[in-house]
Amino acid sequence: MIGAWGDPILSNEGVFPEFSLDNSGADQAAQIGSHHDGMHYFPIEGSSEDGLLVLNHEYIEPRFMHQAAQGQNFGSGSFPMIDESTRDTDQVLREMNAHGVSVYRVQRDASGVWAPVQGDSFNRRITALTAMEISGPVRGSDFVKTQFSPAGTETRGTLNNCAHGVTPWNTYMMSEENWAGYFLNTAEQPDSQSRYGVRSSGSSRYAWELAQSGEEQYTRFNATPSGASATDDFRNEPHCFGWMVEFDPFDSASKPVKRTALGRFAHEGVVFAPAIEGQPVVCYSGDDARFEYIYKFVSAQPYHAATAGGHLLDSGTLYVAKFNDDGTGEWIPLVFGLGELTAENGFSSQADVLVRTRSAADAVGATKMDRPEWGAVDPNTREVYFTLTNNSRREESDEANPRAANPWGHIIRWQEGNDSGTAMVFNWDIFLLAGPEDDSEFQNAGLDDDQKFVNPDGLWFDADSRLWIQTDISESVQNSGDFAQFGNNQMLAADPVNGVLRRFLTGPIGQEITGVVTTPDQRTMFINVQHPGATTSRDDFENGNLISHWPDGGNSIPRSATVVITKDDGGKIGS
């Protein structure tokens, strides 16, 4: 195990702050963040023993984060309140710095042990406070003009980073998934906020806007209009989130860039098709919410390895998927002035279409899916796979979402027309229906006791076209009721060609298995254990009874961490 939440990778005033529940907000900015999620290993000079580990931090567990949490008033949420309207400023700072992304160098020694390199020049933390550029069609538009950036060209921070993406030019992309609940707007909300779930009463998810100091970096999470214009208050802050964000992990001074041409929604991540010299760049992204959509972006300019870069993601066409019941599908362009996306139907510009991507997809009649999460592209066949985790609210099924009140989830796949990512049509099928033995299907049979799983989430293809599947049974139902039969969350490996599916590992209690990547030689695998012990009840927590103490044991607070996997014989993982 390496890289647990709170392990130091940078110095704070010349000291590497070791993990403690008394750590300050400034300490956390020098430490690995919380709730590890999507992750990639970037080799240094092609090495499988020396590289950069880059990982997202989706959210936090405030009650496990602060020494003072136990016995405090938790208000209406899971965060410790000083009173009903105030939060300790340094606790808020620590929570904000536990979000974002960690970049740190890892090396394997002669005995085969991996360890972080503290203080390496590549090491970096990107947090909810990091300054970022806005690029693409939304840059400079009225939607993103704020008190912080009256020109609408910059913003601060990234939130709720779930899955990720790796561009063909070897940069990292972090997603912004369930960002909307971090904001509060008690006034009448525009569609660009209400359609996404910005809170309308009470406080935001972690009540950061209630920090005692009253500093603008905290109060901006209250987006309720209070001034004469958008540059006088924070009404546009929510429009600066919901994007894919790119940065170069090998340049610790580089400024992250929010690529708005890829659309604004609850991005689970982004997955790129293998780049072809002289052809456009193609990538796919899912909107992780019930009845939301799957998208494809095709760059306007062709890919050339010698000159490729993030500019290719600033112009192009965003499409949304329509899955027909006969196994065919089509990509519908989300372009202002085409079809329903006109001024007569309430859209004012391409920036408007992108800020309100969900409403644009509604307008063109795309297929509402059962929580589209991670995607993966087979590197050899170019088939695209997407997990659909569940949808308990679906009342009427369709062929692409074949279960009403879908508790178990499934995996869909498609092949683009003429095997070209730029095609406007595709053919699809259901790769796998997850569930118990009597309500599942893989290779024309139910899943057996060694295969059964539910709620597929993480998805990744290795170089040999093994498909790695990770599960996310919700904390609210894990190991209880109908879900008790599936135990803890797990990871499986599938061979789509030969129809083989096997359970690979099961995680500790109360967690989600997420993030998976190998070194180039495929002999070391990294996976993340997120929020171990999160199923601890409130009563048990307040009585000091935690159901997990992973990974440190004893009476320790549970911490997210990265697990390093090798084979006893030193061979390829999965072989």
Side-chain angles (χ1 to χ4, degrees):
M1 184 280 294
I2 61 171
W5 158 51
D7 284 354
I9 55 174
L10 300 166
S11 68
N12 178 25
E13 298 183 350
V15 176
F16 291 97
E18 293 298 328
F19 173 75
S20 168
L21 293 180
D22 290 326
N23 284 143
S24 67
D27 287 338
Q28 180 61 77
Q31 298 169 327
I32 292 172
S34 185
H35 284 41
H36 302 20
D37 211 305
M39 171 176 57
H40 191 69
Y41 173 87
F42 289 87
I44 294 177
E45 297 181 353
S47 175
S48 290
E49 298 182 347
D50 185 12
L52 303 183
L53 206 57
V54 184
L55 63 152
N56 293 347
H57 303 293
E58 186 177 5
Y59 60 110
I60 56 171
E61 182 76 72
R63 60 182 180 163
F64 292 161
M65 182 164 281
H66 309 297
Q67 181 71 58
Q70 194 161 346
Q72 280 199 26
N73 174 19
F74 278 71
S76 60
S78 61
F79 43 82
M81 306 286 285
I82 291 175
D83 56 42
E84 290 299 329
S85 61
T86 310
R87 290 215 55 204
D88 178 87
T89 299
D90 198 64
Q91 286 185 352
V92 171
L93 179 62
R94 189 179 186 198
E95 293 172 13
M96 293 175 73
N97 282 334
H99 279 71
V101 169
S102 294
V103 181
Y104 65 100
R105 190 170 187 170
V106 290
Q107 293 177 332
R108 183 178 183 268
D109 66 19
S111 64
V113 176
W114 286 84
V117 181
Q118 282 188 349
D120 190 87
S121 61
F122 287 123
N123 292 2
R124 180 179 187 182
R125 282 301 323 282
I126 294 171
T127 75
L129 294 162
T130 304
M132 302 188 175
E133 290 285 334
I134 298 173
S135 73
V138 179
R139 178 182 173 88
S141 72
D142 288 343
F143 295 101
V144 290
K145 291 178 179 177
T146 62
Q147 190 176 123
F148 176 73
S149 178
T153 58
E154 292 182 287
T155 187
R156 283 166 299 180
T158 185
L159 296 170
N160 210 259
N161 305 112
C162 195
H164 67 297
V166 180
T167 68
W169 44 94
N170 207 39
T171 59
Y172 188 85
M173 298 198 77
M174 43 195 168
S175 61
E176 297 181 329
E177 190 196 10
N178 294 315
W179 51 271
Y182 288 71
F183 295 93
L184 172 71
N185 181 356
T186 60
E188 183 177 354
Q189 294 185 9
D191 180 58
S192 54
Q193 295 180 17
S194 61
R195 180 67 176 80
Y196 291 86
V198 169
R199 295 197 176 186
S200 59
S201 62
S203 64
S204 68
R205 181 174 183 176
Y206 298 119
W208 290 344
E209 70 278 6
L210 300 181
Q212 280 183 304
S213 71
E215 293 175 83
E216 175 260 355
Q217 64 183 358
Y218 308 120
T219 59
R220 65 187 168 113
F221 292 96
N222 185 344
T224 306
S226 60
S229 69
T231 57
D232 296 320
D233 54 37
F234 312 114
R235 68 186 71 178
N236 279 344
E237 285 286 332
H239 300 156
C240 299
F241 293 83
W243 309 105
M244 291 301 308
V245 190
E246 181 187 14
F247 76 98
D248 181 357
F250 289 99
D251 181 0
S252 59
S254 63
K255 195 173 185 178
V257 182
K258 300 203 175 189
R259 301 290 181 189
T260 64
L262 274 62
R264 173 176 173 265
F265 43 89
H267 279 279
E268 179 73 17
V270 65
V271 58
F272 287 80
I276 300 175
E277 186 73 18
Q279 296 295 314
V281 171
V282 177
C283 58
Y284 305 89
S285 191
D287 185 351
D288 181 11
R290 299 178 183 92
F291 303 112
E292 295 301 342
Y293 305 105
I294 294 174
Y295 298 88
K296 175 172 79 169
F297 174 80
V298 180
S299 68
Q301 302 174 55
Y303 170 82
H304 295 291
T307 59
H311 64 280
L312 293 173
L313 303 178
D314 283 340
S315 60
T317 303
L318 183 67
Y319 298 88
V320 64
K322 182 177 182 180
F323 293 85
N324 300 318
D325 284 349
D326 63 359
T328 64
E330 57 189 286
W331 293 107
I332 306 172
L334 298 180
V335 176
F336 176 66
L338 291 184
E340 301 297 315
L341 306 181
T342 62
E344 291 76 14
N345 290 317
F347 294 93
S348 61
S349 64
Q350 185 60 24
D352 189 12
V353 169
L354 293 169
V355 168
R356 296 195 292 140
T357 302
R358 283 183 172 177
S359 297
D362 292 340
V364 301
T367 302
K368 297 178 181 295
M369 307 298 285
D370 288 352
R371 289 188 59 202
E373 296 219 34
W374 291 52
V377 180
D378 188 317
N380 297 303
T381 68
R382 298 177 68 90
E383 283 184 303
V384 187
Y385 292 66
F386 258 77
T387 52
L388 298 162
T389 296
N390 57 34
N391 188 349
S392 59
R393 297 177 186 171
R394 180 175 289 277
E395 296 180 357
E396 295 184 6
S397 63
D398 55 48
E399 292 300 312
N401 303 277
R403 288 187 178 120
N406 178 12
W408 310 131
H410 57 290
I411 300 175
I412 199 167
R413 67 178 170 185
W414 64 86
Q415 187 88 47
E416 296 279 14
N418 298 318
D419 290 339
S420 171
T422 62
M424 300 291 288
V425 296
F426 57 90
N427 292 299
W428 66 269
D429 68 354
I430 300 294
F431 172 67
L432 183 154
L433 281 172
E437 296 173 60
D438 61 352
D439 187 14
S440 59
E441 185 174 348
F442 178 64
Q443 296 292 303
N444 299 313
L447 300 178
D448 63 34
D449 194 53
D450 293 324
Q451 299 173 321
K452 68 181 183 182
F453 72 94
V454 291
N455 304 146
D457 187 350
L459 205 62
W460 180 70
F461 269 110
D462 66 25
D464 295 325
S465 291
R466 278 181 288 268
L467 181 64
W468 297 89
I469 304 166
Q470 299 172 319
T471 74
D472 182 15
I473 302 171
S474 170
E475 299 165 26
S476 63
V477 297
Q478 195 175 135
N479 287 304
S480 64
D482 291 340
F483 288 85
Q485 62 186 303
F486 302 104
N488 296 346
N489 279 306
Q490 58 184 279
M491 185 167 78
L492 306 97
D495 178 344
V497 174
N498 297 314
V500 177
L501 176 68
R502 294 177 182 170
R503 184 176 297 114
F504 181 75
L505 62 82
T506 300
I509 193 167
Q511 54 73 55
E512 172 191 350
I513 295 293
T514 184
V516 54
V517 68
T518 65
T519 51
D521 64 7
Q522 297 177 255
R523 297 177 189 276
T524 300
M525 174 178 278
F526 302 96
I527 63 110
N528 287 323
V529 171
Q530 184 187 103
H531 62 67
T535 50
T536 300
S537 71
R538 180 165 176 163
D539 286 345
D540 279 344
F541 171 77
E542 293 184 348
N543 289 317
N545 300 320
L546 307 183
I547 65 167
S548 175
H549 302 281
W550 191 91
D552 299 322
N555 293 317
S556 64
I557 288 287
R559 297 195 282 162
S560 298
T562 300
V563 177
V564 183
I565 301 170
T566 57
K567 290 189 70 173
D568 290 341
D569 64 5
K572 286 185 178 183
I573 306 296
S575 62

